[in-house]
Amino acid sequence: MTRAEITLFIAKSLSISLNGKNLEQIIKVLKSQKIDWDLFVKISTSQLVLPTLYCNYKRNHLLHFLPEDLVAYMQEITSLNRDRNLQIIEQINELNNLLKQNGVTPIYIKGAGYLTQDLYEDPAERMVGDIDFWVSKSANDVSVKILSEHNYKPVSDLGYHPPQFKHYPRLYNDGYIAAVEIHKEMLVETYALEFNYETIKDNVIQYNGFSVLGYDDQKALCIFSNQINDYGFDYKTIGLKNAYDFLLLNEKEPATDFALRFNKLKTPILCFLASVDYLFGDLVLAFDNNKKVQKYLKGFKSLLYNPRKRKLYSRIIGIKLFLTSRLKVISKSFVNKEYRIWLLKRISDKRWQREKLVQLKLKKPKKN
């Protein structure tokens, strides 16, 4: 099987509990025994959905179709992830109590938010990195102060960090398993006026003492995290983890018309929906399949089925995004003192200088 075929197989496997037609197709493919299991593991691991696949196969009694050593490996990873997530849930509980006692009501988002509202049948399904929560701009500095007073420290040891529009630099505590990100914004300035704390605060849901976004806002953020923050819209890719999250959220409150309230963000949402609908096998998602979306989906399919084209396209987009981001920082440094100070510290950093010389192949990397 090709990479594209394996990707489609994984996507449809993720939705077998939601789509009976996909379950029939997956059983047929599993019985054929023509699956490249090494590639299956490579892609599902890079997409952070290996435990999700294990849980879905187990729920639908399909594990006997898989090689025994693969089942054992998937079971071990899933078990480790379950243990980690249970520890994260305990950490969220303590954070929630700490912040509320000090007058701050955090809104848990992304993986942390999904764990607090029991979005998954098994907490082992979702791989979670950081604990992300959203507060108003007025509560941002207070939240940082509270966590700092309770032994949370910056993850970076550089002693300086770039000016952050969206969130404070990641914090960690030696006594806990996950780092924490305190968000005051969720999107870059280009889109922040369309999706910000003021636009979501009235739709917040209370679940077992935790605050989470309303379902439409959760679906929107799930898409934006991939399409905007991870540049999926530019690269014409979608994260299977994000897609699975979206499908579960949409099961809770089926609707895709939330896209209509946006202006600049409407097209990235519609393109995400079209890509998910294609990869996951015609889920009958109602969306405006306009000419822009059709063109995007055509490009998405072309890159999916042509690895060489994908590699070249990704390289070009990567260079474009890199140059754009650097030019923005330089231009901001002329008018913004905070950016200017950070840039001067950055270019005078000996570690950064060496890193760039290694990248330019003007120096050899240090041996471990």
Side-chain angles (χ1 to χ4, degrees), residues 6-233:
I6 289 288
T7 300
L8 288 164
F9 172 74
I10 290 172
K12 289 178 179 176
S13 292
L14 290 171
S15 64
I16 53 179
S17 298
L18 307 174
N19 187 326
K21 184 175 67 174
N22 280 355
L23 177 58
E24 293 175 11
Q25 290 182 11
I26 292 304
I27 291 174
K28 185 177 180 181
V29 175
L30 287 169
K31 284 181 175 178
S32 74
Q33 298 184 338
K34 293 180 180 178
I35 301 162
D36 184 336
W37 290 114
D38 288 337
L39 189 55
F40 170 89
V41 171
K42 184 178 179 180
I43 294 173
S44 57
T45 301
S46 67
Q47 291 278 344
L48 304 177
V49 293
L50 193 67
T52 320
L53 289 165
Y54 175 81
C55 291
N56 270 283
Y57 286 148
K58 185 178 180 180
R59 263 197 300 272
N60 289 277
H61 311 291
L62 301 179
L63 288 175
H64 64 281
F65 287 114
L66 279 62
E68 289 184 9
D69 57 341
L70 175 57
V71 173
Y73 175 70
M74 293 174 78
Q75 184 177 23
E76 181 183 4
I77 296 299
T78 303
S79 179
L80 290 171
N81 195 51
R82 182 182 295 106
D83 292 342
R84 174 181 164 80
N85 282 351
L86 291 175
Q87 290 180 64
I88 288 176
I89 291 170
E90 287 183 16
Q91 186 179 351
I92 294 171
N93 265 299
E94 293 189 29
L95 275 171
N96 201 49
N97 292 332
L98 173 64
L99 290 163
K100 282 188 168 183
Q101 286 167 8
N102 287 274
V104 175
T105 302
I107 302 169
Y108 294 95
I109 53 175
K110 299 191 283 187
Y114 304 149
L115 288 178
T116 62
Q117 62 188 296
D118 301 323
L119 184 63
Y120 317 99
E121 286 189 36
D122 186 335
E125 283 189 58
R126 177 59 146 76
M127 299 194 84
V128 177
D130 300 334
I131 295 173
D132 295 87
F133 64 81
W134 198 349
V135 294
S136 64
K137 289 181 182 179
S138 61
N140 183 70
D141 291 343
V142 177
S143 302
V144 173
K145 185 173 183 291
I146 294 167
L147 265 61
S148 298
E149 289 173 350
H150 286 79
N151 300 317
Y152 277 88
K153 300 163 285 190
V155 169
S156 172
D157 64 351
L158 288 175
Y160 65 92
H161 54 80
Q164 298 282 354
F165 177 75
K166 292 191 300 178
H167 59 78
Y168 192 80
R170 295 167 69 231
L171 299 170
Y172 80 99
N173 183 316
D174 289 324
Y176 296 98
I177 196 166
V180 175
E181 279 194 356
I182 304 170
H183 291 260
K184 56 182 176 179
E185 299 281 0
M186 288 310 307
L187 300 177
V188 294
E189 290 135 296
T190 307
Y191 303 103
L193 287 176
E194 291 192 33
F195 190 75
N196 54 56
Y197 188 85
E198 293 302 313
T199 66
I200 60 89
K201 65 180 183 179
D202 293 334
N203 302 318
V204 170
I205 299 169
Q206 300 300 317
Y207 193 94
N208 289 339
F210 299 101
S211 297
V212 295
L213 298 175
Y215 284 119
D216 279 352
D217 290 329
Q218 287 193 65
K219 286 186 280 186
L221 180 55
C222 175
I223 294 172
F224 299 153
S225 294
N226 177 241
Q227 292 288 81
I228 306 301
N229 296 342
D230 293 339
Y231 304 104
F233 185 64

Side-chain angles (χ1 to χ4, degrees), residues 265-312:
L265 289 164
K266 180 180 175 181
T267 297
I269 291 174
L270 296 177
C271 291
F272 180 92
L273 295 176
S275 303
V276 168
D277 201 51
Y278 174 73
L279 281 180
F280 285 74
D282 188 20
L283 298 173
V284 198
L285 295 173
F287 58 90
D288 179 12
N289 192 19
N290 58 44
K291 288 184 179 180
K292 282 185 181 178
V293 176
Q294 291 172 20
K295 182 180 178 181
Y296 179 93
L297 186 59
K298 183 179 179 181
F300 176 86
K301 291 179 183 178
S302 175
L303 295 171
L304 176 66
Y305 289 100
N306 191 328
R308 281 189 179 182
K309 189 175 179 181
R310 158 62 64 197
K311 189 175 181 180
L312 176 60

